[in-house]
Structure formats: C-alpha cells, structure tokens
Amino acid sequence: MNTLDRDVVIIGAGVTGLTAARDLKAAGLTVAVLEARDRVGGRTWTDTIDGAVLEIGGQWISPDQDALTSILDELGLETFSRYREGKSVYVSPKGERTEYAGDMFPVPEQTGREIQRLIEILDELAADVGAAEPWAHPRARELDTISLHHWLRQHSTDEEACANIGHFLAGGMLTKPAHSFSVLQAILMAASAGSFSNLVDEDLLLDKRVVGGMQRLSETIAAELGDDVVLGSPVRTLQWGQSGDGTGVTAVSKKATVRARYAIMAVPPNLYSRVSFDPPLPRRQHQMHQHQSLGLVIKVHAVYDAPFWRDEGLSGTCFSPDLMVQEIYDNTNHEDPRGTLVAFVPDEKADAMFALGADERRRVILEDFAKSLGPKALEPAVYYESDWGSEEWTRGAYASSYDLGGLHRYGADQLTPVGPIYWASSDLAAAGYQHVDGAVRMGRGTAAKIAARAGESMPAYTAI
Ligand code: FDA
C-alpha cells in the first residue's frame, strides 16, 4: 500500500476530477486522483465491441458548450459533425409513420400550436429562473412541488402536445418519468442549455463528436498527470478535519492512502454514500444526498455494413414518443464506411425492456427501429446495449437529479464544502448540467476555489 502526501486528493477520474487535477497542478499544487475503475473517463467511454468502435457513454457536443470546446481545442482534440442530411421520421402515438423536414414534428396543426405555446412558456421560465440558483427564485417552491407531468396538463389539454414536451425533458434528458421530478428541475435542465428551445434543437445539442471518442478528453489529461492517477482503487474511507484550520484529509483507497489538505468528491451524488466519512458528514449532507438519484436509459448501438437510410434520403433521425425506442440518430464514426445508429430507451420503458431476456429485448428494440427505418434495420452486423444501471461506479444514466421538492429544499447547499471536502460533478453544474461541458465547468471551477483558499494564484477558469 502506497502512502502519498499531496495538496489535493481527488476521488474519481471522470472529466470533472481530471480537469480539476489539471488546473490544480497548473496552479502549483500537488494532486493525486484515485479512480475505482481500471480506466479513466467515468461516464465517457469508448470501446470496441465485435469489431465496432462504440461510444458507450457521453459523446455529443453543442457549439455553445464553450468550457468543453475550449479544453478540446487546448488539448488538440478534433471534432466532427453528426450526419443530418435528409428527412427525419416521426411515428405518432397512433403508429402512423411520417417523413418530415424542419424542427417541428408533423403533428396536427392545433397540437403544433400548443407545442409552440408550451415551448414559449418554458423558454420564459428558463430565462427568468436561470441555471445558477433556481432554488433562490421567488417561485422556486411553487415550481418545485409540482411534477412536470401535472404542470404540463395544467397548462394544456392537448395530450399529444404534453406528451411531446414531456418526452424531451423526461425520456430525452432527465431519463426519469415526468411524474417523478418537478417543473423547477425541468427548468434548470432547460436553462443549463441556454433555453428550452436549445434543448429541443437536436442540430445544436447533438452537433459534434470527438474524433476517436469523448473518452479521449480524459485519456489525454490522464496522460499529462501520469503517476498522479491511480486506477483500480476505490476510495472506501475519507477521514477529514484533522488539522485545526479545517483542512486535512486522508483518503484510504484499495491501492493508495493519500494524505492531503483538501479533497474533491468528483463522483455523482448517488455514490457519496459508498464512502465512509470519518467523522460522519453533517445531518444536512446526509439528508440531501438521499434525495439525488440517477435516471435510467438504455443507449442502443446498431452497426450496419452501410448507412442504408442515407440512400433513402433519410438523416437517421427518428422520434417515436410512444414506442420503446423514443429517439434514433445516425451515429456513424468519423470516416467509417459502415453505418451506425444509436437509439435511446428511457426510464420505465428501460425497466420494461430489462424485464425481458436479452434476445427478446433485442427483437423488440430492433422492431421499433424498423417501424421508423424499414426492415433493413432488423439485421445489424453489431448490436450492443449500454447498460449503465449495472455499472457499480455509476448506477444509471445519464446523470442525477433531485426528487420532487428536493431542488429548492437542498440546492443552495449542494456545493458548500464540508471542512476540506468539495463536491463536484456534472450533476451539480449550472450551465452544462448533466453534460460533459458541466463536468469541465465543475472541475475547473472547483480547482479555482481550492487554489484561492490555498493561497495560490490561479490564472485559469473561475466560473462554475
Ligand atoms: P463521472 O461519473 O463520469 O466520473 C466519476 C468517476 O468517479 C468515475 O470514473 C467513477 O468510476 C469514479 N468513482 C465513483 N466512486 C468512486 C470511489 N468511491 N472511489 C474512486 N472513484 C470513484 N453528456 C454530454 O455532454 N453529451 C452526451 O451526448 C451525453 N450522453 C450520455 C450518454 C450516456 C449513456 C451517459 C451515461 C452519459 C451521457 N452524458 C452526455 C453525460 C456525461 O457523460 C456526464 O455528465 C459526464 O461524463 C460526467 O462526468 P463526471 O466526471 O462529473 O462524472
């Protein structure tokens, strides 16, 4: 067992932990990053499955995610655009398939107007409430004590319009049923992307990917950090508050014990309780952490010998709110002659799919692909389901959110350090909430706070 002495120990080598470590080191502080898995990157992960390179976790970049785009530039990582030429496909709740162009689903005219009206209300709320401190808004309690599902039906009697808006925020983003989280939580999600309109604009949000996969961001930083990153070493115990000035932590992990002045818990909030804190955390943190949980979504990958949908004038983008597979996109790798589709099966639909055996699940999912893209979709050369719910060191996808009423009750304290311990992950971000961009902001912002407290000058990034 190694014993290391450092200024800062970072628990978790995802994008948050690694970007924090990089900036702290640049500010002249010493660091050690302890990572449970035998790889870096956390929820970003590129792997080769049956000969196909797949992005199993987070991958897409929006052009306005400038914390992410600037660090990718700094590290010399190239990006490429998602294929999006041709028509999209919409399968209505009645099962009718329509090919369409533009942003608006081919719904009845009245439903289209209702969708537009609901988008305008959500845009106004997102602009008014903002992402930085949604809990501080005068209407925070009111908006946090009604579920998105019920709020939508209070505002419209058009069920298809409500279902479509709910689909974007629930299945598409928070990956929890719309009855289980508040409209304030939904507004935070929208405001974190700039507006609700931005969130539903797949041309913006799903614009680019990193050549070679998003995990390269973490791998590149980890290579810079060298031996300061310890893999395969879950932290089980964090002793804290050992010196009179409130600093002082000892992180005990499988392979190394690190004595440091400060710690960053760069793991999603649902995993804080996997660590024994000694002394125990204050009551407020014990309570708060129990109200944050991860959503669930199956990311399905299907690789074909060629992107057959393109020959048929289709972009590969498909929406079908009432099918198990709600969204499909062309996810072909950079300069790859094969064609890859990626699809998402969220929340309760994922439960239903996981209740089936693997063969039956694959059959049902691919039949949904075929309802949008025809029978050729039934026969992929490679088929894979990203199952983050089974990953011990994540336990869901994409990220965590509060249960009903939790955001206004606890949000103001979620980043408050406990003695020398700081909390940071994409799940606690304002701008870029639940996204890789938010992870970069949290990593860099937390590093800046610690460097300031440690008395180091930090020319780097300050905004969280
Ligand atoms: P992350 O969870 O990545 O890192 C935490 C690290 O801590 C992990 O490596 C974990 O192993 C480690 N750890 C946990 N407990 C530990 C312990 N006790 N000791 C030591 N280590 C411990 N975002 C986006 O911008 N665009 C996208 O397209 C998508 N799509 C997407 C798809 C899927 C399927 C997923 C799962 C997620 C996305 N996301 C996304 C979200 C994005 O991937 C996510 O928000 C960030 O990668 C989170 O980074 P963090 O570093 O905050 O946490």
Side-chain angles (χ1 to χ4, degrees), residues 12 15-16 35-37 42-43 58-60 235 398 426 434-436:
V15 173
T16 299
E35 167 54 48
R37 290 176 160 102
R43 279 170 275 174
Q59 58 167 57
W60 278 304
V235 172
Y398 308 107
S426 71
Q434 295 212 351
H435 284 88
V436 178

Side-chain angles (χ1 to χ4, degrees), residues 8 52 80 84 134 143 185 199 220 227 277 295 333 414-415 462:
V8 187
F80 68 103
R84 64 191 88 174
L143 295 168
Q185 185 75 64
L199 207 61
T220 308
D227 291 343
F277 294 87
N333 288 330
Q414 65 185 9
L415 292 178
T462 46

Side-chain angles (χ1 to χ4, degrees), residues 11-17 34-37 39-44 56-61 65 68 206 214 233-236 266-268 271 274-275 297 299 344 386 388 393-394 396-399 424-427 434-437 439:
I11 295 104
V15 173
T16 299
L34 300 172
E35 167 54 48
R37 290 176 160 102
R39 60 169 182 83
V40 297
R43 279 170 275 174
T44 62
I56 292 168
Q59 58 167 57
W60 278 304
I61 307 161
Q65 293 178 332
L68 175 57
L206 316 183
M214 184 65 88
S233 199
V235 172
R236 305 287 189 192
V267 312
L271 296 182
R274 293 301 308 280
V275 175
V297 62
K299 181 175 181 181
F344 297 94
S386 298
W388 288 89
W393 300 108
T394 304
Y398 308 107
S425 73
S426 71
D427 314 54
Q434 295 212 351
H435 284 88
V436 178
D437 179 67

Side-chain angles (χ1 to χ4, degrees), residues 231-452:
L231 298 179
S233 199
V235 172
R236 305 287 189 192
T237 305
L238 200 62
Q239 295 154 352
W240 58 281
Q242 292 143 332
S243 70
D245 65 357
T247 66
V249 282
T250 302
V252 182
S253 74
K254 193 170 164 193
K255 293 187 187 159
T257 293
V258 184
R259 292 188 299 232
R261 291 156 72 195
Y262 305 100
I264 303 178
M265 285 290 291
V267 312
N270 65 310
L271 296 182
Y272 295 157
S273 63
R274 293 301 308 280
V275 175
S276 286
F277 294 87
D278 179 14
L281 294 174
R283 177 193 311 109
R284 184 86 176 147
Q285 274 69 26
H286 277 169
Q287 278 285 301
M288 169 167 47
H289 298 161
Q290 293 182 67
H291 291 271
Q292 291 160 290
S293 58
L294 260 93
L296 179 67
V297 62
I298 313 174
K299 181 175 181 181
V300 181
H301 313 255
V303 184
Y304 302 84
D305 293 337
F308 63 87
W309 52 93
R310 296 183 187 176
D311 299 337
E312 293 159 22
L314 297 175
S315 62
T317 301
C318 311
F319 295 102
S320 43
D322 276 30
L323 299 182
M324 287 293 155
V325 172
Q326 286 198 183
E327 298 164 66
I328 306 176
Y329 301 98
D330 186 319
N331 206 33
T332 302
N333 288 330
H334 187 53
E335 294 181 348
D336 190 347
R338 298 212 272 184
T340 300
L341 292 173
V342 69
F344 297 94
V345 182
D347 56 74
E348 289 175 307
K349 293 175 179 176
D351 298 341
M353 286 298 94
F354 281 132
L356 304 175
D359 290 348
E360 182 64 354
R361 190 163 63 238
R362 173 186 162 128
R363 186 186 64 74
V364 173
I365 288 175
L366 288 177
E367 278 177 4
D368 273 5
F369 275 56
K371 284 173 194 153
S372 295
L373 293 170
K376 286 183 191 154
L378 291 169
E379 307 286 345
V382 177
Y383 175 89
Y384 181 76
E385 294 160 2
S386 298
D387 175 13
W388 288 89
S390 299
E391 289 278 319
E392 183 181 9
W393 300 108
T394 304
R395 304 183 168 207
Y398 308 107
S400 50
S401 48
Y402 283 99
D403 54 18
L404 197 66
L407 181 59
H408 86 285
R409 186 175 172 194
Y410 297 111
D413 291 324
Q414 65 185 9
L415 292 178
T416 308
V418 173
I421 307 168
Y422 287 73
W423 315 95
S425 73
S426 71
D427 314 54
L428 303 178
Y433 171 56
Q434 295 212 351
H435 284 88
V436 178
D437 179 67
V440 176
R441 288 173 197 276
M442 290 301 303
R444 305 198 78 174
T446 309
K449 286 183 187 172
I450 293 177

